Amino acid sequence: MAINWFIIAAVVIGVILLVYILIKQNKKDRKKIEEELNYVSESEEAEIDNEKES
């Protein structure tokens, strides 16, 4: 039984492409979550600043 290099190459390319897409999506999701976690509305920010001045 001969090794079918065409199928092996297609699978390897598919895996590499999948890993690239997943890493790219992970970076995008991480940035979005960091923005959500760091979000502070202006009113909350003003209250924090007033507490520092007191």
Side-chain angles (χ1 to χ4, degrees):
M1 188 169 137
I3 297 174
N4 193 342
W5 291 106
F6 178 74
I7 294 175
I8 293 174
V11 170
V12 169
I13 291 171
V15 169
I16 291 171
L17 184 63
L18 179 63
V19 169
Y20 172 76
I21 291 170
L22 290 174
I23 290 172
K24 188 175 177 181
Q25 184 65 38
N26 187 27
K27 287 181 180 181
K28 212 182 283 185
D29 290 343
R30 179 180 291 171
K31 184 176 180 182
K32 183 179 177 183
I33 289 173
E34 285 177 358
E35 288 174 359
E36 289 175 4
L37 291 176
N38 289 330
Y39 174 75
V40 178
S41 66
E42 291 181 17
S43 62
E44 290 178 10
E45 200 170 285
E47 290 173 9
I48 293 171
D49 290 340
N50 289 339
E51 289 175 2
K52 290 181 182 177
E53 293 174 3
S54 303

